Amino acid sequence: MPQTLVRYSKVVEIVGDIMRVQVPESAYLKDTGPRYGDLAVVEGDDEDSLSLAQVINIKHDTVALQVFGGTKGVATNSSVRFLGHPMEVTYSDNILGRVFRGTGESIDGRPDLSQDSKVPIGGPSVNPMRRVLASKMIRTDVPMIDVFNCLVESQKIPIFSVAGEPFNPFLARIGIQADADIVVFGGLGLIFDDYHFFRTTFEDAGVFSRTVMFVNLASDPIVERTLIPDMALAVAERFAVEQGKRVLVLLTDMTAYADALKEIGIAMDQVPSNRGYMGDLYSQLARRYEKACDYAQGGSVTILSVTTMPGDDVTHPVPDNTGYITEGQFYLHDGVIDPFGSLSRLKQHVIGKATREDHSQIMNTMVRFYSNAKDAEQKQAMAFELSDFDHKLLKFGELFKQRFMDINVSISLEQALDLGWKTLAECFEPQELLMKQALIDKYFPKEMQ
C-alpha cells in the first residue's frame, strides 16, 4: 500500500510546534514507516485543515514532527500521512528572478512553478575526488576584499559583525558586483524591511534575472528557517553541476539559523551544550558550509555568509564554531572591513597567479604602513614628539581609510592596485617602501618621483 494512503491518528503529545505521533513497529517491517527528514501532512477534522510537517526524530514507535505552520488549531484527534520523501525544492531555469519561502512556495505573486522539476535538499557534500584545488578569483570591486583578502571560487567565508552594522547593504552590494554567473540568496529571520531592501536592490541594479531568493521572515515559522540554507545550496549545486555555472551563495544571518536549531532542540528536550546551543552545532554548520566546491567537471559553489556576534563576542558558540569550519573571515565593524582581523586562507592561490605581479607587494606594504600609522596615532594621542616619518604615516593612514577601507568604495582590482601605488607615492619616497626595485621601476608613478 502506498505510504501516502496510510494515516496515523494516535497523537501522543503536542508541545510548542512539535507533534509526536505513534507509528506501529510493523510499519517499518513493511517499509512503509517514516524516515528522518521525511515530509508529512497533518490533517484535522476539517478536510481543508492541512499542515505540512517534517520528521525530526524517531524513537522506538514514536515519531516527532515539526509542524511548519505551528500547532495552533491542531487537535489530538488529527491524523498524519507520511509522504515518503524529504523536503524538495523547485529547480529549473524558471526559478531565476523568483522569490521563495522556506516551504519552497513562491511568494512573489508570479506564475506557479508546481509543475517544474524538483530536487531533494540536504544531501551529502561532494566527493573529494570530484573537487579541484581553488585557483580562480571572484572579483567583487571591493578593495578591502579584492586587494587584501581575495574571495576565491569554492571558498566558504563569513562576515563577522554585530547588530547595527551595515552588513546587509554590504552583502547586497557584493551580490550585485561579484562576477558570478548566478547569485542564490538565503535570508534567515529577516524583518520585512531587510527583505524588501534586498529585493529592490537586486531589481534596481538589473541583476535580479540572475538571482534566486529564498526568504524566511521573522514572522514565519521557525522550522522554515532551518530549511533555507539547504534549499539555497541544493539549487546552487544543480546550477554548478548540470549547467557549469559559477554560483555565489549569500546567507544572512547564520546566527539566526543557529538560534532556530537551539529553539527546536529545547522543544525536543535535548540537553544543551554551550550557552543553550545543542552539541551538534558544529556538525550542523559544517554540513552546510562544506557544500562549497569547485567541481572538476562543472562550475563552482562559493558561500559568503553573515554571522553576527552577540555582544561583539568572537568566542560566542556560533562564530567560534564557524571559525573552525570556514577558510577565513571578514571582520566588519565601525562601518569598515578590519584589515587586521580579516583573513582569506585561500588568497595565496590567486594573488600573483590570477592577478597582477605587484599584487602581493602592494598588499603587504600597505598593511605594514597602516599598522605603523596606528602606532603613530597612539604616539600622537599620548603627546609624544612625532618624527617626519610619523607624519608621513599619519597622512597615509587617513588616505588608506578614505580610499580603501570605506565599504562604499567600488573600484576594480587593477584600479585599486594603481591607487595603492599613487597613495604610497603621495606619502613616501621610493626607497622608503622596501619593495622590489623592479616593481618600483615599473609601477611607481613617474610624475611623483
Side-chain angles (χ1 to χ4, degrees):
M1 182 180 294
Q3 186 175 359
T4 54
L5 298 181
V6 180
R7 285 179 169 82
Y8 301 93
S9 56
K10 191 169 183 179
V11 178
V12 178
E13 184 181 45
I14 299 177
V15 178
D17 293 337
I18 307 295
M19 176 181 182
R20 289 180 173 85
V21 61
Q22 192 173 70
V23 177
E25 294 184 4
S26 59
Y28 298 98
L29 299 176
K30 298 176 183 178
D31 200 26
T32 59
R35 295 166 298 183
Y36 182 83
D38 277 4
L39 291 180
V41 175
V42 180
E43 303 179 16
D45 291 337
D46 185 359
E47 293 183 357
D48 295 330
S49 177
L50 301 176
S51 300
L52 197 63
Q54 184 180 34
V55 177
I56 59 175
N57 191 26
I58 300 176
K59 187 175 183 180
H60 302 299
D61 62 346
T62 303
V63 178
L65 300 168
Q66 177 81 29
V67 183
F68 283 18
T71 56
K72 184 178 181 180
V74 177
T76 54
N77 61 352
S78 301
S79 62
V80 176
R81 288 188 295 117
F82 297 100
L83 302 184
H85 63 80
M87 188 69 188
E88 296 178 328
V89 62
T90 303
Y91 166 72
S92 70
D93 287 337
N94 295 329
I95 68 174
L96 294 174
R98 301 297 301 270
V99 185
F100 302 90
R101 64 180 296 175
T103 57
E105 302 169 317
S106 62
I107 56 174
D108 52 11
R110 296 177 59 191
D112 180 54
L113 297 178
S114 60
Q115 301 304 313
D116 287 36
S117 61
K118 292 179 171 53
V119 296
I121 69 173
S125 56
V126 182
N127 187 327
M129 294 297 293
R130 296 189 60 189
R131 297 172 181 255
V132 295
L133 184 66
S135 60
K136 290 165 282 192
M137 177 181 173
I138 294 182
R139 293 170 177 253
T140 64
D141 291 347
V142 178
M144 290 306 297
I145 294 179
D146 290 355
V147 177
F148 300 96
N149 285 291
C150 302
L151 181 62
V152 183
E153 281 190 36
S154 80
Q155 191 168 15
K156 45 190 180 290
I157 190 166
I159 299 172
F160 285 169
S161 190
V162 296
E165 291 290 338
F167 49 81
N168 280 335
F170 183 61
L171 193 69
R173 193 158 66 85
I174 292 177
I176 292 170
Q177 298 177 177
D179 62 339
D181 298 325
I182 291 175
V183 174
V184 181
F185 173 81
L188 303 158
L190 298 180
I191 62 173
F192 182 81
D193 289 351
D194 285 339
Y195 156 61
H196 185 265
F197 166 78
F198 276 107
R199 181 171 178 177
T200 55
T201 300
F202 291 146
E203 289 176 339
D204 293 344
V207 300
F208 200 57
S209 59
R210 67 175 176 100
T211 303
V212 186
M213 296 184 69
F214 294 93
V215 177
N216 167 258
L217 298 177
S219 57
D220 290 339
I222 196 168
V223 66
E224 295 181 17
R225 194 170 307 166
T226 64
L227 299 175
I228 291 291
D230 290 335
M231 288 186 169
L233 292 167
V235 166
E237 278 187 317
R238 293 288 175 159
F239 277 120
V241 173
E242 298 183 4
Q243 300 188 28
K245 301 294 187 181
R246 300 163 63 240
V247 186
L248 177 61
V249 179
L250 307 176
L251 300 173
T252 179
D253 160 10
M254 289 302 285
T255 301
Y257 170 77
D259 289 342
L261 294 178
K262 178 172 71 172
E263 188 169 329
I264 292 174
I266 292 173
M268 291 291 295
D269 296 326
Q270 295 180 7
V271 178
S273 174
N274 187 3
R275 303 197 200 182
Y277 292 91
M278 300 301 114
D280 66 344
L281 176 61
Y282 178 92
S283 300
Q284 294 286 2
L285 293 173
R287 280 186 59 193
R288 278 77 197 175
Y289 280 117
E290 288 301 329
K291 295 283 187 176
C293 176
D294 194 350
Y295 294 89
Q297 297 177 338
S300 64
V301 175
T302 307
I303 301 176
L304 179 63
S305 65
V306 170
T307 298
T308 52
M309 302 181 293
D312 201 12
D313 181 11
V314 74
T315 66
H316 184 275
V318 180
D320 186 39
N321 282 277
T322 301
Y324 287 105
I325 301 166
T326 55
E327 293 139 350
Q329 68 281 323
F330 300 128
Y331 271 99
L332 175 61
H333 62 82
D334 298 329
V336 299
I337 297 292
D338 186 351
F340 303 132
S342 300
L343 171 67
S344 172
R345 294 191 179 97
L346 300 184
K347 63 183 178 183
Q348 67 271 18
H349 294 303
V350 296
I351 291 180
K353 301 179 179 69
T355 62
R356 223 165 65 180
E357 58 180 341
D358 59 328
H359 187 167
S360 177
Q361 291 274 294
I362 281 289
M363 174 186 68
N364 292 329
T365 302
M366 296 189 75
V367 170
R368 171 165 52 87
F369 279 136
Y370 183 66
S371 176
N372 293 337
K374 299 297 289 183
D375 292 338
E377 286 180 7
Q378 290 185 348
K379 290 170 63 177
Q380 186 182 46
M382 292 186 291
F384 282 101
E385 185 177 353
L386 300 179
S387 65
D388 292 340
F389 191 71
D390 287 332
H391 287 291
K392 292 182 178 182
L393 290 171
L394 292 174
K395 178 181 178 182
F396 174 81
E398 289 301 317
L399 291 176
F400 185 80
K401 292 177 184 177
Q402 297 171 11
R403 297 176 177 179
F404 294 91
M405 292 181 64
D406 186 346
I407 61 172
N408 295 312
V409 174
S410 177
I411 53 178
S412 68
L413 173 60
E414 288 73 22
Q415 289 176 320
L417 293 176
D418 291 339
L419 183 59
W421 281 106
K422 178 183 177 183
T423 304
L424 291 172
E426 290 177 359
C427 302
F428 306 103
E429 299 297 326
Q431 63 272 16
E432 294 175 323
L433 301 182
L434 303 180
M435 298 171 65
K436 292 181 180 179
Q437 189 60 44
L439 295 178
I440 293 177
D441 294 340
K442 184 175 181 179
Y443 293 104
F444 196 92
K446 298 298 188 292
E447 68 276 5
M448 303 186 71
Q449 287 190 8

